Amino acid sequence: MKNIFLVFSIFLFVHVHSARAYADDGYRLWLKYNLITNQQNLDEYKQSIKAWLVEGSSPTMDAAKHELRIALDGLSGSTIPEVNSVNGDGVLLAAAYRNSKLLAGIDLKSKLEKAGSEGYVILTSNINGKRVIIITANEDIGVLYGVFYFLRLLQTNRDIANLDVVSFPRIKLRMLNHWDNLNGTVERGYAGFSIWDWHTLPIYIKQRYRDYARANASIGINGTVVNNVNADPLILTQRYIVKLVALASVFRPYGINIYVCANFDAPIKLGKLKTADPLDPQVRQWWKDKVKEIYSLIPDFGGFLVKANSEGEPGPQDYGCTQADGANMLAEALKPFNGVVMWRAFIYSYDPKDRATQAYEEFKPLDGKFEDNVLVQVKNGPLDFQPREPFSPLFGSMPRTSMIVEFQITMEYLGQGTSFVYLAPLFKECLESDTYAKGKGSTVAKVVDGSLDGHSLSGMVGVSNIGADRNWTGHPFDQANWYAFGRLAWDHELTSEQIADEWIHMTFSNDSDVVEKIESIMMPSRENVVNYMDPLGLNMIFGYDNHYGPGPWIDYSPHKDWNSTYYHRADSLGIGFDRTATGSDAVSQYYPPVAKEFASLSTCPDNELLWFHRVSWSYKIQPKSDQPLAERSGHTLWDEICLHYYAGVDSVRSTQRAWNSLEVKIDDEEFRDVQMLLEIQENEAVWWRNACVLYFQTFSKMPIPDGLEKPDKTLQYYESLSFPYAPGTW
Amino acid sequence: MKNIFLVFSIFLFVHVHSARAYADDGYRLWLKYNLITNQQNLDEYKQSIKAWLVEGSSPTMDAAKHELRIALDGLSGSTIPEVNSVNGDGVLLAAAYRNSKLLAGIDLKSKLEKAGSEGYVILTSNINGKRVIIITANEDIGVLYGVFYFLRLLQTNRDIANLDVVSFPRIKLRMLNHWDNLNGTVERGYAGFSIWDWHTLPIYIKQRYRDYARANASIGINGTVVNNVNADPLILTQRYIVKLVALASVFRPYGINIYVCANFDAPIKLGKLKTADPLDPQVRQWWKDKVKEIYSLIPDFGGFLVKANSEGEPGPQDYGCTQADGANMLAEALKPFNGVVMWRAFIYSYDPKDRATQAYEEFKPLDGKFEDNVLVQVKNGPLDFQPREPFSPLFGSMPRTSMIVEFQITMEYLGQGTSFVYLAPLFKECLESDTYAKGKGSTVAKVVDGSLDGHSLSGMVGVSNIGADRNWTGHPFDQANWYAFGRLAWDHELTSEQIADEWIHMTFSNDSDVVEKIESIMMPSRENVVNYMDPLGLNMIFGYDNHYGPGPWIDYSPHKDWNSTYYHRADSLGIGFDRTATGSDAVSQYYPPVAKEFASLSTCPDNELLWFHRVSWSYKIQPKSDQPLAERSGHTLWDEICLHYYAGVDSVRSTQRAWNSLEVKIDDEEFRDVQMLLEIQENEAVWWRNACVLYFQTFSKMPIPDGLEKPDKTLQYYESLSFPYAPGTW
């Protein structure tokens, strides 16, 4: 035993030592599998896991084996032997129940029924009188998910003495959407080129593709749409389908189905037809043939995601048809192969009375008109991934339609690649919103997981923040958002804190001081951004097109609703968009209890105030104990706006201080990267604050409250800034 | 002692072990510093280097310390202590001589004189009766170069028993040119996005910038031009200069000066002047002010590279001035700060009689007209980085002008990102070409290093193949081309074999079987590509614009000289470009012995045959014993063309076999990456061969020689292929 500890202490030395040469670059994400440094945990785990055994053979079981091998060896710093029988205490056994001889004597029926097709059971038990840990499931993929769950217990130093776990996903389609173009750029991507190297596929299979699949499987993501919703029809050509085949082969063992975005005009652009009219028999046949061609090569192809009649994309309305007509045509083609259509509800005409009401107006009447393999994919809010939006009124309003919620993991409007923002609270805020569709408790989560209206098809989609940057996401903390998205898609009842806690343990350290401190800066980080960008329900006041930095003065787009002024409507009298009955009446799209709350100035939450109401500068904010910054209420609206902007900057600065205190406890490269990025964020926060306060002051004509530092640049200066090469826009 | 070996064996175990989880991704380039596996070498080195000492303090000496620390510890697998005095045998001492107290008693005058400002001296010696290894130099940067040289000895397992080395660079400016755009794309880049993240500079200093500087310093590169020659004027704005400052600070300790490409119209585009006329006083003043602004922030700024009046770029000829007028205006502005102008000779008008003669015609008359801080930068061949070109006749023709040779490390015309091509033989072929400018022995190398005409300014430039791909260059073997470029810029007398040998040892293994086998496939790899793309002096028959794949049929460009047909001139009578006196007379631009050799069909080397001559399909190739494939001579030209194309494919296949035999001896990820890329290359070689043979056959009307496999696709098929997203073109 003494010798073994000698080994570990030397290993530790060498490890720390070599880290000095080439530090942690973040590539391994939350699957680092570094040696466990807590000696007590290490001892305990080594007692409990003296050997491991994977029963059964398949690509998925091979993936489980691979993961156990690298993880157990890495975590323990030794070789935990793989065995082929339970010949002593302390065997970790992973097997699909129906293929297992070793588990045949153990009754797991009720647990396995609960686990379903993707879930798993983990149990401390006995086989032939020997103590074992069992990871089992109905299907191989469940076993793999269970393996990742179990490894997470070790990575986070949890107790594994008496395991009795059943876990299964709440949502069927847990999916990433890559807005990746075929030329390698990523729309709204802030982490480098696309990870898909289309040029060298199908032959060159990058290790990164496998590691992508591993990372996704580790959090339960089971689908990926590999190309941009602004879809190039070329993805549907034979040449690209062959490339999709290669990717699908890498993803398959990890339980991930591949999907593509289809261009609605593909029958014209590829098939040389004269129309893409969804009611045209030739068009319908073209899609059937194309789908058949795809499935002949990718039998587990997932289906199509379509952005139609939106921002210049073609769609069924070009032919006088409804969105449902378009979706159903594709659904019919996919149905024989169990494929699905994900049809985006993100549509708007330019210059509407209120852009926020359009998706509802268009789609609500179509409820019940979609084929049963269509899901309508709805962004979390009525507009477009703002730092804060109320939930979309479509949730709960289409009971006869399966629905996907679309979140944006990439941070187009939340600081892009340079801001420290933990998004789980944003996701949770939406999921926990109560639509009141079927009375109290009809949360968005229940709409989306299908339970509210009894749909078996359900989905949660995240617009990916992944790029070819070595650490996948550019900002090291953006890894947490990928992680949180997957974890919530599996179980939306997890709290933001639980997820942060897991992720910090796996990514940075099991040192409780580190975990607590990082969690303490992650949790409020999204609200910080709201405060210095878009407080009190403001929205859409970003830099033109690139959405980088503040642009509340933008008023030069020919499309009214591409102007910031359309959204904030500031003038000498006040600010805000009247969405009550006296205005666009967007409130009426919500169920009565919600509509009523939003419609009244006195009950509307402060954080949505200017979303729903036009308010005078001197209006006194009402005290509401459950609102953030409530202690400041009683101020005028103008003062409150200023205080929020300043509070946002202050919070970034306190985040910096907290981070700096961790210097000695974090890998040097990761520490410095975040430190520098926080410096950029602080600059950007001040830029946002100054630009917005100065701009809105031209209307309010009121002074910045006493005691707050005055902007050191003029409004003219801020308006003069331009960023032709801001990332994510080409 | 026994304990120490225990440590090593355990380390080795853990290392190999953890490599299984995350294999070698190539990021560390040739600076891996893995534990030395040859026990005898390891013992010997540990005896010779028991401690190390860096005397003196500066950012450059700190860089030397950092490198020694990580390298010695990594290579030895233990901590070699840093000491502050020579208190026993076996101290490695690094110090600039003039700052060293310890070296004061040792007479190194003659060696240091020879070493000059950048060279170094390495010596086994004694101090106070103690055995030491001394790395010294006149300047700190020389010490750093010496450290890298010394570490290379260890990495390549050389004998270090009795060192007596003086080394210094032959060429003053040893430089990379990045064709990187400010939006992050790289023109002709095949390794992902630009490594420069302009958006997050100057605050976010990526570790990669430092590792870039380390890698360059390790091979003696001392300058870098960070932006594309098709230059965006924005690089010269205050906003970007501040970003350059940040990069310059990272590069400075490593002896690397930063340069930028200047857009000739910057005074108009940035300065709002009405002209960029180089003789206009306001324009001259604008450049002087701009240069002053840059030097006030970057005192060691290197200067400007300019592509003027070429492919649509603005230049002095727009104002009726000469190229020299333009260069001299910038030179005048840079002169007070010791900056230089690198002025590209790559110019051509569209539709010329012979594009290959134009640079000479334009620049030769300007010899003697350039300021003495101007270097004329000339591509290795008269055209544009073809797989083979004769050397440019400008070399040797402008004795009163300092000259830079520009090589392309990125492989625009040699298989781009997917081909295994070692470029040192191409570089060497040019450098060793004899211009006969001052009689026999007037090699291009002597022109370029300044020795032929007594210039103290001299330069060698490589168009970078570096991108944000994790392994920097995309294809693992492209690292060798970066390495070879730097090594030859330092010492052009090194052989391709020597350089390959060093690189393989450092990159893959010190196992002699591995080294020999890899060297055996690297050495002919460039000729293989010539054979299946452009044999016998063919050139410029690439895919349109993207230069990907074969396009001998291209004839649709409005610019005659953008058509392949302009270059190969195939018809029913024969093929080739007559550049003798009966044609464009390009041969007359060479000195008589060279001109004579090229001009005669009987003496012109086979590998330049169709470059200089128009030859009938049935012409019988003359036997020439010093030409490759000479054993086949006596064939008709048509047969010879076919045999070369087929030989090229065969060689790729034998490369594959050789590589596959190394499977167990190479890191798994690197092995598989190269294996897959070779499969792509084999496909592409067959594509080139079939497409070209079928195309030229439409003119020759002659059969493919017996015994050669027949193309399995039609010419029409090959002509139909299109690659809108081939990399490097946007």
Side-chain angles (χ1 to χ4, degrees):
Chain A
M1 203 55 184
K2 225 177 165 184
N3 279 343
I4 290 174
F5 287 130
L6 178 64
V7 172
F8 291 136
S9 61
I10 289 165
F11 174 76
L12 186 62
F13 165 74
V14 172
H15 176 78
V16 168
H17 189 67
S18 67
R20 205 161 55 182
Y22 290 95
D24 191 338
D25 61 14
Y27 179 78
R28 295 172 299 159
L29 295 161
W30 48 85
L31 301 175
K32 288 195 161 67
Y33 303 143
N34 286 341
L35 179 67
I36 291 165
T37 53
N38 180 312
Q39 196 58 48
Q40 199 184 323
N41 283 322
L42 184 59
D43 294 349
E44 184 194 319
Y45 296 159
K46 287 170 70 77
Q47 275 303 106
S48 302
I49 314 163
K50 292 179 174 159
W52 58 276
L53 192 173
V54 173
E55 212 183 351
S57 171
S58 72
T60 298
M61 296 309 278
D62 289 346
K65 273 189 200 182
H66 171 79
E67 208 66 32
L68 282 173
R69 184 177 296 123
I70 66 171
L72 293 178
D73 292 1
L75 291 163
S76 72
S78 61
T79 299
I80 307 287
E82 184 181 359
V83 293
N84 52 24
S85 65
V86 179
N87 52 7
D89 279 339
V91 173
L92 173 67
L93 166 62
Y97 188 79
R98 63 179 178 193
N99 296 329
S100 172
K101 288 178 188 157
L102 293 166
L103 295 175
I106 302 177
D107 179 14
L108 294 168
K109 198 175 170 202
S110 67
K111 288 181 196 287
L112 285 170
E113 262 172 25
K114 204 173 157 201
S117 62
E118 294 186 293
Y120 51 84
V121 176
I122 300 182
L123 212 57
T124 304
S125 185
N126 287 278
I127 292 179
N128 303 329
K130 308 295 182 189
R131 192 173 37 77
V132 294
I133 297 173
I134 296 166
I135 303 174
T136 189
N138 292 302
E139 304 291 339
D140 289 356
I141 187 62
V143 178
L144 182 63
Y145 288 148
V147 163
F148 279 114
Y149 174 91
F150 179 76
L151 292 175
R152 185 157 60 228
L153 296 179
L154 306 183
Q155 291 175 275
T156 55
N157 292 5
R158 305 297 150 113
D159 181 14
I160 59 164
N162 293 293
L163 295 169
D164 186 2
V165 176
V166 179
S167 182
F168 56 90
R170 301 295 187 96
I171 287 173
K172 189 163 180 192
L173 306 179
R174 306 175 300 278
M175 195 174 309
L176 293 181
N177 284 186
H178 289 265
W179 288 359
D180 292 21
N181 299 311
L182 301 188
N183 70 358
T185 60
V186 181
E187 185 168 330
R188 310 306 175 187
Y190 309 103
F193 252 29
S194 171
I195 54 169
W196 316 127
D197 186 352
W198 295 108
H199 186 67
T200 56
L201 281 169
I203 296 177
Y204 187 19
I205 305 299
K206 295 194 168 185
Q207 179 59 34
R208 190 155 202 150
Y209 304 153
R210 292 185 215 284
D211 290 329
Y212 168 86
R214 288 176 53 236
N216 278 325
S218 78
I219 50 177
I221 288 173
N222 67 354
T224 185
V225 186
V226 292
N227 63 319
N228 193 349
V229 287
N230 297 316
D232 190 319
L234 279 189
I235 193 83
L236 295 173
T237 58
Q238 167 82 34
R239 180 159 169 257
Y240 278 87
I241 292 171
V242 171
K243 298 169 189 280
L244 295 171
V245 170
L247 287 180
S249 306
V250 177
F251 300 161
R252 190 168 295 119
Y254 290 91
I256 297 165
N257 298 113
I258 198 166
Y259 301 70
V260 299
C261 287
N263 184 300
F264 199 78
D265 271 355
I268 300 172
K269 289 170 184 159
L270 302 182
K272 302 189 176 163
L273 300 187
K274 290 195 174 141
T275 176
D277 184 339
L279 304 181
D280 182 286
Q282 274 192 297
V283 172
R284 297 177 83 86
Q285 191 59 46
W286 188 89
W287 281 109
K288 281 181 186 167
D289 293 343
K290 181 51 72 181
V291 165
K292 201 171 159 192
E293 179 191 354
I294 296 172
Y295 277 93
S296 73
L297 295 166
I298 311 174
D300 57 350
F301 180 71
F304 295 135
L305 169 63
V306 184
K307 173 179 179 179
N309 293 121
S310 172
E311 297 182 330
E313 293 299 319
Q317 295 176 333
D318 301 341
Y319 306 95
C321 296
T322 69
Q323 298 273 350
D325 293 330
N328 290 341
M329 170 186 64
L330 298 176
E332 185 188 69
L334 289 159
K335 184 100 184 174
F337 307 98
N338 298 314
V340 301
V341 176
M342 298 166 292
W343 195 266
R344 286 179 105 220
F346 176 68
I347 54 104
Y348 59 93
S349 61
Y350 304 125
D351 315 323
K353 185 179 170 202
D354 182 0
R355 180 168 139 185
T357 62
Q358 290 191 279
Y360 180 97
E361 286 160 7
E362 187 76 34
F363 276 84
K364 161 106 176 111
L366 299 175
D367 188 33
K369 304 235 161 88
F370 291 97
E371 295 289 334
D372 64 4
N373 58 333
V374 175
L375 298 103
V376 171
Q377 181 165 320
V378 181
K379 292 189 181 185
N380 58 293
L383 279 176
D384 191 17
F385 301 134
Q386 297 301 291
R388 169 167 283 118
E389 298 190 29
F391 66 93
S392 166
L394 275 170
F395 295 113
S397 297
M398 296 181 70
R400 288 177 292 168
T401 308
S402 294
M403 202 156 274
I404 293 175
V405 60
E406 176 179 325
F407 290 116
Q408 196 180 42
I409 312 177
T410 190
M411 299 207 298
E412 179 179 357
Y413 294 100
L414 285 111
Q416 303 192 347
T418 47
S419 294
F420 180 115
V421 183
Y422 176 49
L423 291 175
L426 186 157
F427 303 154
K428 288 288 288 184
E429 187 173 285
C430 173
L431 292 167
E432 290 177 347
S433 292
D434 197 340
T435 70
Y436 282 87
K438 292 189 168 174
K440 191 165 166 57
S442 306
T443 59
V444 171
K446 287 184 185 166
V447 174
V448 164
D449 72 13
S451 63
L452 191 70
D453 301 305
H455 292 292
S456 59
L457 258 190
S458 58
M460 184 163 143
V461 147
V463 179
S464 155
N465 62 349
I466 295 166
D469 273 3
R470 182 58 180 172
N471 71 359
W472 303 83
T473 57
H475 198 304
F477 272 85
D478 285 350
Q479 294 183 356
N481 297 324
W482 177 9
Y483 183 84
F485 169 78
R487 295 289 287 135
L488 284 172
W490 183 276
D491 181 1
H492 54 66
E493 293 196 354
L494 289 168
T495 66
S496 300
E497 290 83 353
Q498 282 174 309
I499 297 170
D501 187 75
E502 285 177 3
W503 179 80
I504 301 165
H505 273 89
M506 289 191 277
T507 303
F508 286 112
S509 174
N510 278 297
D511 175 325
S512 62
D513 179 46
V514 172
V515 174
E516 279 165 34
K517 208 161 257 167
I518 295 181
E519 193 176 317
S520 78
I521 54 179
M522 283 173 77
M523 286 307 301
S525 58
R526 179 263 188 143
E527 202 63 36
N528 298 346
V529 171
V530 171
N531 283 339
Y532 69 70
M533 287 184 179
D534 273 351
L536 296 164
L538 284 171
N539 59 88
M540 289 284 201
I541 54 174
F542 289 79
Y544 192 69
D545 190 39
N546 59 32
H547 302 157
Y548 176 63
W553 46 79
I554 305 288
D555 62 357
Y556 45 72
S557 170
H559 302 312
K560 273 189 206 161
D561 66 323
W562 283 13
N563 287 316
S564 302
T565 50
Y566 172 90
Y567 295 95
H568 64 66
R569 311 207 161 191
D571 64 16
S572 62
L573 301 176
I575 181 170
F577 197 126
D578 182 2
R579 291 191 166 100
T580 69
T582 58
S584 75
D585 204 23
V587 292
S588 69
Q589 294 182 339
Y590 292 92
Y591 283 87
V594 183
K596 193 176 163 201
E597 185 194 4
F598 288 156
S600 158
L601 199 52
S602 65
T603 56
C604 180
D606 285 355
N607 60 24
E608 301 291 9
L609 189 67
L610 302 178
W611 183 284
F612 287 111
H613 296 275
R614 186 162 165 70
V615 184
S616 75
W617 296 109
S618 55
Y619 171 77
K620 296 245 176 169
I621 301 280
Q622 302 301 307
K624 291 189 206 72
S625 61
D626 61 338
Q627 293 303 320
L629 300 167
E631 68 282 10
R632 299 211 180 106
S633 60
H635 292 290
T636 63
L637 174 68
W638 166 251
D639 282 358
E640 198 69 39
I641 287 176
C642 291
L643 290 166
H644 275 78
Y645 274 108
Y646 278 80
V649 171
D650 291 347
S651 309
V652 175
R653 289 172 179 161
S654 53
T655 300
Q656 289 180 291
R657 287 190 293 274
W659 183 258
N660 287 339
S661 73
L662 292 169
E663 178 159 9
V664 293
K665 296 195 164 187
I666 304 250
D667 171 86
D668 190 46
E669 183 170 336
E670 290 188 317
F671 173 78
R672 281 186 292 108
D673 278 354
V674 174
Q675 189 181 44
M676 291 183 282
L677 287 163
L678 281 170
E679 188 183 340
I680 292 177
Q681 186 178 1
E682 198 257 354
N683 289 350
E684 291 179 345
V686 170
W687 171 29
W688 266 96
R689 181 196 72 188
N690 289 357
C692 291
V693 167
L694 288 172
Y695 172 77
F696 291 128
Q697 195 178 35
T698 64
F699 302 104
S700 80
K701 314 279 187 201
M702 295 163 96
I704 296 168
D706 281 349
L708 301 180
E709 64 187 21
K710 297 295 172 281
D712 58 351
K713 301 238 168 41
T714 64
L715 177 59
Q716 197 179 19
Y717 166 80
Y718 292 115
E719 290 193 27
S720 77
L721 298 176
S722 80
F723 304 90
Y725 302 125
T729 47
W730 67 91
Chain B
M1 205 54 183
K2 225 175 164 186
N3 279 344
I4 289 174
F5 288 129
L6 178 65
V7 172
F8 292 137
S9 60
I10 289 165
F11 174 75
L12 185 63
F13 166 74
V14 171
H15 175 77
V16 169
H17 189 68
S18 66
R20 204 162 54 183
Y22 290 96
D24 191 338
D25 62 12
Y27 179 77
R28 295 171 300 161
L29 295 161
W30 48 85
L31 302 176
K32 287 197 160 65
Y33 304 143
N34 286 341
L35 178 67
I36 291 166
T37 53
N38 180 311
Q39 196 59 46
Q40 199 185 324
N41 282 321
L42 184 58
D43 294 349
E44 184 195 319
Y45 296 159
K46 289 169 69 78
Q47 276 302 108
S48 302
I49 314 161
K50 292 180 173 156
W52 58 276
L53 192 173
V54 172
E55 212 183 351
S57 171
S58 72
T60 297
M61 297 308 278
D62 289 346
K65 274 189 200 183
H66 172 77
E67 209 65 33
L68 282 172
R69 184 176 295 124
I70 66 171
L72 293 178
D73 293 1
L75 290 162
S76 72
S78 61
T79 299
I80 308 287
E82 184 181 359
V83 293
N84 53 24
S85 64
V86 179
N87 52 8
D89 280 338
V91 172
L92 173 67
L93 166 62
Y97 189 79
R98 64 177 178 195
N99 295 330
S100 172
K101 288 180 187 154
L102 293 166
L103 294 175
I106 302 177
D107 179 13
L108 294 169
K109 198 175 171 204
S110 68
K111 289 180 194 288
L112 286 171
E113 263 171 23
K114 205 173 155 200
S117 62
E118 292 185 293
Y120 50 85
V121 175
I122 301 182
L123 211 57
T124 304
S125 183
N126 286 280
I127 292 178
N128 303 331
K130 308 294 183 191
R131 192 171 40 74
V132 293
I133 297 172
I134 295 167
I135 303 174
T136 189
N138 292 302
E139 303 291 340
D140 289 357
I141 187 62
V143 177
L144 182 63
Y145 288 148
V147 163
F148 278 114
Y149 174 90
F150 178 77
L151 292 174
R152 185 157 59 227
L153 296 178
L154 306 184
Q155 290 177 275
T156 55
N157 292 6
R158 307 295 151 113
D159 181 16
I160 59 164
N162 294 292
L163 295 168
D164 186 3
V165 175
V166 179
S167 182
F168 56 90
R170 301 295 186 98
I171 287 174
K172 190 162 179 191
L173 306 179
R174 306 175 300 278
M175 194 174 308
L176 293 181
N177 284 187
H178 289 265
W179 288 359
D180 293 20
N181 298 311
L182 301 187
N183 70 358
T185 61
V186 181
E187 186 168 330
R188 311 306 174 187
Y190 309 103
F193 253 30
S194 171
I195 54 169
W196 316 128
D197 185 352
W198 295 109
H199 186 67
T200 56
L201 280 168
I203 295 176
Y204 186 20
I205 305 298
K206 294 194 169 185
Q207 178 60 32
R208 189 155 203 150
Y209 304 154
R210 292 185 216 285
D211 290 330
Y212 168 85
R214 287 177 54 237
N216 279 325
S218 78
I219 50 176
I221 288 174
N222 68 354
T224 185
V225 186
V226 292
N227 63 319
N228 193 349
V229 287
N230 296 316
D232 189 319
L234 279 189
I235 193 83
L236 295 172
T237 57
Q238 167 82 34
R239 178 157 171 260
Y240 278 87
I241 292 171
V242 170
K243 297 168 189 282
L244 295 170
V245 169
L247 287 180
S249 307
V250 177
F251 299 161
R252 190 168 294 118
Y254 290 91
I256 297 165
N257 297 114
I258 198 166
Y259 300 71
V260 299
C261 287
N263 184 300
F264 199 79
D265 271 355
I268 300 171
K269 289 169 183 159
L270 303 181
K272 300 187 178 166
L273 300 187
K274 290 194 178 142
T275 177
D277 184 340
L279 303 181
D280 181 286
Q282 273 191 298
V283 171
R284 298 178 82 84
Q285 191 59 46
W286 188 89
W287 281 109
K288 281 182 185 168
D289 293 344
K290 181 51 71 181
V291 165
K292 201 171 159 190
E293 178 191 354
I294 296 172
Y295 277 93
S296 73
L297 295 166
I298 312 174
D300 57 351
F301 180 70
F304 295 135
L305 169 63
V306 184
K307 174 179 178 179
N309 293 121
S310 172
E311 298 182 329
E313 293 299 319
Q317 295 176 334
D318 301 341
Y319 306 96
C321 296
T322 69
Q323 297 272 351
D325 293 331
N328 291 340
M329 169 186 64
L330 298 176
E332 184 188 69
L334 289 159
K335 183 98 183 174
F337 307 98
N338 298 313
V340 301
V341 176
M342 297 165 294
W343 194 268
R344 284 179 107 221
F346 177 69
I347 55 104
Y348 60 92
S349 61
Y350 303 123
D351 316 322
K353 185 178 170 204
D354 182 0
R355 180 168 138 185
T357 62
Q358 290 192 280
Y360 180 97
E361 286 160 6
E362 187 77 36
F363 277 85
K364 161 106 177 111
L366 298 175
D367 188 32
K369 303 234 161 90
F370 290 98
E371 294 289 333
D372 63 3
N373 59 332
V374 175
L375 298 103
V376 171
Q377 181 164 320
V378 181
K379 291 189 183 186
N380 58 294
L383 278 177
D384 191 15
F385 301 135
Q386 297 302 290
R388 169 166 284 117
E389 298 190 30
F391 66 92
S392 167
L394 276 170
F395 295 114
S397 298
M398 297 180 71
R400 288 177 291 170
T401 308
S402 294
M403 201 156 275
I404 293 175
V405 60
E406 176 178 324
F407 290 117
Q408 196 179 41
I409 312 176
T410 189
M411 299 206 299
E412 179 179 357
Y413 294 100
L414 285 111
Q416 303 192 348
T418 48
S419 295
F420 180 112
V421 182
Y422 177 49
L423 291 174
L426 185 158
F427 302 155
K428 287 287 289 185
E429 186 173 287
C430 173
L431 293 167
E432 289 177 349
S433 293
D434 197 340
T435 69
Y436 282 87
K438 292 189 168 174
K440 190 165 166 57
S442 305
T443 60
V444 171
K446 286 184 184 166
V447 174
V448 165
D449 73 13
S451 62
L452 190 71
D453 301 304
H455 292 291
S456 59
L457 258 190
S458 58
M460 184 164 143
V461 146
V463 180
S464 154
N465 63 348
I466 296 166
D469 273 3
R470 182 56 180 172
N471 71 358
W472 301 84
T473 57
H475 198 303
F477 272 85
D478 286 349
Q479 294 183 357
N481 297 324
W482 177 8
Y483 183 83
F485 169 79
R487 294 290 287 135
L488 284 173
W490 183 275
D491 180 2
H492 53 65
E493 293 194 355
L494 289 168
T495 66
S496 299
E497 290 84 352
Q498 282 175 311
I499 297 169
D501 186 74
E502 285 178 3
W503 180 81
I504 301 164
H505 274 90
M506 289 191 278
T507 304
F508 285 111
S509 174
N510 279 297
D511 176 326
S512 62
D513 179 45
V514 173
V515 174
E516 278 165 35
K517 207 160 257 167
I518 295 182
E519 194 177 316
S520 78
I521 53 179
M522 283 173 77
M523 286 307 301
S525 59
R526 179 263 188 143
E527 202 63 36
N528 298 346
V529 171
V530 171
N531 283 339
Y532 69 71
M533 287 184 178
D534 273 350
L536 295 165
L538 284 171
N539 59 87
M540 288 284 200
I541 55 174
F542 289 80
Y544 191 70
D545 190 39
N546 59 33
H547 301 158
Y548 176 62
W553 46 79
I554 305 288
D555 63 357
Y556 44 72
S557 171
H559 302 313
K560 274 191 206 159
D561 67 320
W562 283 13
N563 287 316
S564 303
T565 49
Y566 172 90
Y567 295 96
H568 64 66
R569 310 210 161 188
D571 64 16
S572 62
L573 301 177
I575 182 171
F577 198 126
D578 183 1
R579 291 192 166 101
T580 68
T582 57
S584 76
D585 203 22
V587 291
S588 69
Q589 293 183 339
Y590 292 93
Y591 283 86
V594 183
K596 192 178 162 200
E597 186 194 4
F598 288 156
S600 159
L601 199 53
S602 65
T603 56
C604 181
D606 285 354
N607 61 23
E608 301 292 8
L609 189 67
L610 303 177
W611 183 285
F612 286 112
H613 296 274
R614 185 162 166 67
V615 184
S616 76
W617 295 109
S618 55
Y619 171 77
K620 296 244 174 169
I621 302 279
Q622 303 300 308
K624 290 188 206 75
S625 62
D626 61 337
Q627 294 303 320
L629 300 168
E631 66 283 9
R632 297 209 181 107
S633 59
H635 292 289
T636 63
L637 174 66
W638 166 251
D639 282 358
E640 199 69 40
I641 288 176
C642 290
L643 290 165
H644 275 80
Y645 273 109
Y646 279 80
V649 171
D650 290 346
S651 310
V652 175
R653 289 173 179 161
S654 52
T655 300
Q656 288 180 291
R657 286 189 293 274
W659 183 257
N660 287 339
S661 74
L662 292 170
E663 178 159 10
V664 293
K665 297 196 164 186
I666 303 253
D667 171 86
D668 189 46
E669 184 170 337
E670 290 187 317
F671 173 78
R672 281 186 292 107
D673 279 354
V674 173
Q675 188 180 44
M676 291 183 283
L677 288 164
L678 281 170
E679 188 183 339
I680 293 178
Q681 186 178 1
E682 199 256 354
N683 288 350
E684 291 178 346
V686 170
W687 171 30
W688 265 96
R689 182 195 72 186
N690 290 356
C692 290
V693 167
L694 289 171
Y695 172 76
F696 291 127
Q697 195 178 34
T698 64
F699 301 104
S700 79
K701 314 280 187 198
M702 296 162 98
I704 296 169
D706 281 348
L708 301 180
E709 65 187 21
K710 297 296 173 283
D712 59 350
K713 301 235 168 45
T714 63
L715 177 58
Q716 196 180 19
Y717 166 79
Y718 291 115
E719 291 193 28
S720 77
L721 297 176
S722 80
F723 304 91
Y725 302 125
T729 47
W730 65 90

